Amino acid sequence: MSERVGDIGLIGLAVMGQNLILNIADHGFNVIVYNRTVEKVDNFLANEAKGKESIIGARSIQDLAAKLKKPRRVILLVKAGSAVDDFIQQLLLHFEAGDIIIDGGNSEYTDTRRRFAELKAKGIRYIGSGVSGGEEGARYGPSLMPGGDKEAWPFIKDIFQAVAAKVDGNPCCEWVGSDGAGHFVKMVHNGIEYGDMQLIGEIYHLMVAMGLNQDEMADIFADWNKGELDSFLIEITRDILRYKDEKSGEFLLPKIKDSAGQKGTGKWTAISALNYGVPVTLIGEAVFSRCLSALKNERVEASKILPGPENKFDRNKTDFIEDLKQALYASKIVSYAQGFMLMREAASQYNWDLDYGSIALMWRGGCIIRSVFLGQIKLAFEQDPKLKSLLMAPFFVDAIKKAQKGWRNVVITAVNLGVPTPALSTALAFYDGYRAEKLPANLLQAQRDYFGAHTYELLGEEGKFVHTNWTGHGGNVSASTYTA
Ligand code: 6PG
């Protein structure tokens, strides 16, 4: 076929790629599809895409480039890392200035920044887009977070917003920002996903410690899913708790090995939080909790040696279930507040003009962390786009005010029972730290100055760094000041 019929191309026929192609085709666009193993193209056309004339196969990158309308637009949905660079190199042989390459994988934003700059120099418009929602999302409406070369946005906007999830008619897809902004926002989405999952896991652990059975737990999650906690992750937790193994007729969940895997996006979020000096403690704990869970054999050994408290659960169950709900809600507010703090810091480092209300809307539907709660976050940023922290938004100040008694009860009870709740606890510690006018960092500064002459500032004389000869026999020379 020599005719340029393709509105967009898609490379990578794994399940996400296949579903996104079907979704794009459903919205009236012609898609040229290609995969490194070309048999996959044939199989896809003969099966999932059978009878769909708007899905057209390409047998090579050259063939793909020849079938695309200009400026060419192509989405890469391949494994993050070197595969993306390899395909870009191949595309460059057949693409020309003005053409658009979109990476829809979970790429590290630093790679996206590098690729954006390299391709800009060649006149190619590069987009790194977060794509969230798993297989279902890709097929029926993902959350899309495109960033990179803004010149490309008018050429992809129609397609992206047509295929994205909708909430009250609004697409969960908007322009995010330049170079790596789209992938950065997707990375934070994934970090928050880790945090939400960890929080739900800790609540489940406490429910087990309370002696609830799985039907009771499922009913509680079903009930929570009707209110402010209404979200995809609560919904699937309810369904997982109810799920019985077909063969045995028994619940599947207790039979699954308690050792979590991870592909790295949560870790990247925690690393960038450390790099930028933003206290994103909850996501950090969520990543470490997965690491601790993976030490299964060591934990089994330790469980036989290390004593815990003898206490038994002795609270009123109905009251405590309400406390759990409050603890989950308040901790979730802290986690999102931390995630948005991280985005704000990265935005100032990279000059991204992030619209936080619009990011909340992008996450409101289609993605793994989709929830009713994100609607409130969107409103908070709409009311005050310069909001320093979500914790300061009147709606959330009030929400935490109501939730904090239950939240504190849950952390106290968990400590007494010896049930680990790192995410619920760190959220509370962050909250108490964030609202503290004074922290003990004065002592820390004094210690640093005592042993290393690192200097300190006196209250009321900020900006003037002084050193004290604490022992009388140290010198008066201070160490050079540096900050991490
Ligand atoms: C999404 C998800 C998805 C990610 C998994 C894997 O937004 O659809 O975030 O992009 O692949 O959640 O995460 P882990 O394997 O690291 O748990």
Side-chain angles (χ1 to χ4, degrees):
M1 191 189 296
S2 60
E3 226 184 320
R4 295 191 182 279
V5 291
D7 294 306
I8 193 157
L10 196 144
I11 298 176
L13 291 184
V15 66
M16 288 291 284
Q18 292 196 7
N19 282 353
L20 195 59
I21 292 164
L22 295 169
N23 184 357
I24 297 172
D26 281 353
H27 285 86
F29 301 101
N30 290 339
V31 199
I32 314 295
V33 306
Y34 176 71
N35 195 80
R36 200 193 301 255
T37 317
V38 183
E39 293 83 74
K40 271 204 166 181
V41 177
D42 298 331
N43 280 338
F44 178 58
L45 293 177
N47 295 290
E48 293 83 355
K50 196 174 174 176
K52 294 191 186 280
E53 283 174 12
S54 53
I55 301 179
I56 300 145
R59 312 220 43 93
S60 64
I61 295 282
Q62 186 177 10
D63 189 18
L64 171 107
K67 285 174 173 161
L68 286 172
K69 293 178 192 165
K70 295 183 183 181
R72 298 179 181 89
R73 295 167 284 192
V74 70
I75 303 176
L76 292 171
L77 265 180
V78 299
K79 200 167 180 276
S82 61
V84 177
D85 290 307
D86 290 350
F87 275 111
I88 290 174
Q89 288 314 314
Q90 291 184 53
L91 286 165
L92 282 177
L93 300 175
H94 307 284
F95 272 33
E96 58 199 20
D99 287 346
I100 298 162
I101 300 177
I102 304 156
D103 173 16
N106 267 329
S107 291
E108 241 182 306
Y109 75 98
T110 43
D111 282 339
T112 306
R113 282 175 55 75
R114 168 180 58 79
R115 290 169 186 144
F116 165 81
E118 286 167 4
L119 291 171
K120 185 96 185 151
K122 295 181 163 55
I124 301 287
R125 295 145 166 179
Y126 191 65
I127 301 266
S129 180
V131 176
S132 177
E135 297 170 32
E136 277 282 303
R139 180 68 187 89
Y140 300 109
S143 158
L144 297 173
M145 298 151 242
D149 194 330
K150 200 170 182 186
E151 276 182 22
W153 180 228
F155 296 99
I156 64 163
K157 187 176 176 183
D158 288 355
I159 301 179
F160 268 50
Q161 294 197 333
V163 304
K166 311 279 178 311
V167 172
D168 303 328
N170 301 309
C172 296
C173 169
E174 205 22 273
W175 183 250
V176 177
S178 61
D179 56 79
H183 273 141
F184 190 89
V185 167
K186 174 61 175 33
M187 178 194 78
V188 176
H189 162 283
N190 279 29
I192 290 178
E193 172 186 308
Y194 274 54
D196 278 357
M197 291 167 76
Q198 177 64 27
L199 285 170
I200 295 173
E202 292 174 15
I203 297 289
Y204 160 65
H205 200 168
L206 283 163
M207 286 176 168
V208 173
M210 286 169 74
L212 300 184
N213 66 41
Q214 261 185 238
D215 283 320
E216 289 170 319
M217 294 183 208
D219 289 346
I220 295 166
F221 280 103
D223 181 47
W224 290 357
N225 203 40
K226 292 180 194 134
E228 68 261 31
L229 286 171
D230 179 344
S231 61
F232 173 70
L233 286 169
I234 294 280
E235 183 187 315
I236 65 166
T237 304
R238 172 200 68 196
D239 296 346
I240 289 167
L241 284 161
R242 287 201 176 131
Y243 190 88
K244 286 188 175 149
D245 191 16
E246 264 179 36
K247 263 196 222 140
S248 64
E250 291 165 4
F251 285 118
L252 178 60
L253 184 59
K255 300 183 182 186
I256 297 176
K257 185 174 171 186
D258 51 324
S259 173
Q262 50 183 315
K263 294 202 196 76
T265 45
K267 183 178 78 181
W268 296 344
T269 315
I271 290 173
S272 59
L274 288 171
N275 282 339
Y276 301 135
V278 184
V280 187
T281 60
L282 197 144
I283 295 173
E285 286 292 356
V287 176
F288 285 131
S289 296
R290 288 197 191 191
C291 301
L292 180 59
S293 82
L295 302 177
K296 175 73 179 173
N297 295 341
E298 221 170 304
R299 287 191 290 113
V300 170
E301 245 179 79
S303 72
K304 297 184 182 113
I305 302 165
L306 303 178
E310 299 289 321
N311 308 326
K312 295 268 168 293
F313 181 78
D314 59 0
R315 307 273 318 276
N316 173 294
K317 279 192 182 175
T318 315
D319 290 349
F320 194 67
I321 290 164
E322 183 55 30
D323 286 353
L324 287 176
K325 183 181 175 188
Q326 301 306 338
L328 179 53
Y329 188 46
S331 303
K332 210 172 140 96
I333 296 171
V334 168
S335 179
Y336 283 66
Q338 293 182 343
F340 277 85
M341 279 167 77
L342 178 59
M343 288 191 285
R344 190 177 288 281
E345 182 55 32
S348 86
Q349 301 247 354
Y350 296 115
N351 273 323
W352 295 332
D353 184 19
L354 299 184
D355 176 338
Y356 302 102
S358 153
I359 292 169
L361 173 63
M362 275 180 255
W363 293 351
R364 170 73 187 80
C367 63
I368 305 294
I369 63 169
R370 61 183 179 263
S371 66
V372 162
F373 171 73
L374 277 154
Q376 292 300 340
I377 297 181
K378 178 176 168 282
L379 280 180
F381 282 113
E382 265 171 16
Q383 279 159 9
D384 180 2
K386 297 251 172 298
L387 190 65
K388 265 208 182 67
S389 162
L390 273 180
L391 288 172
M392 307 273 236
F395 178 87
F396 292 113
V397 171
D398 195 48
I400 293 208
K401 200 166 153 192
K402 288 185 188 130
Q404 71 162 316
K405 187 160 177 269
W407 187 15
R408 290 181 193 279
N409 279 341
V410 166
V411 173
I412 291 166
T413 306
V415 170
N416 283 333
L417 292 175
V419 174
T421 53
L424 292 163
S425 309
T426 197
L428 185 54
F430 176 88
Y431 177 73
D432 284 334
Y434 189 71
R435 64 178 194 83
E437 193 193 334
K438 283 209 171 175
L439 286 172
N442 51 340
L443 175 57
L444 215 137
Q445 284 296 78
Q447 290 166 333
R448 292 177 68 236
D449 190 55
Y450 186 112
F451 63 68
H454 293 297
T455 72
Y456 57 87
E457 293 165 289
L458 283 170
L459 287 168
E461 291 179 39
E462 283 83 359
K464 193 175 139 206
F465 287 85
V466 292
H467 168 59
T468 293
N469 182 354
W470 296 89
T471 55
H473 50 73
N476 286 315
V477 183
S478 60
S480 56
T481 310
Y482 61 90
T483 40

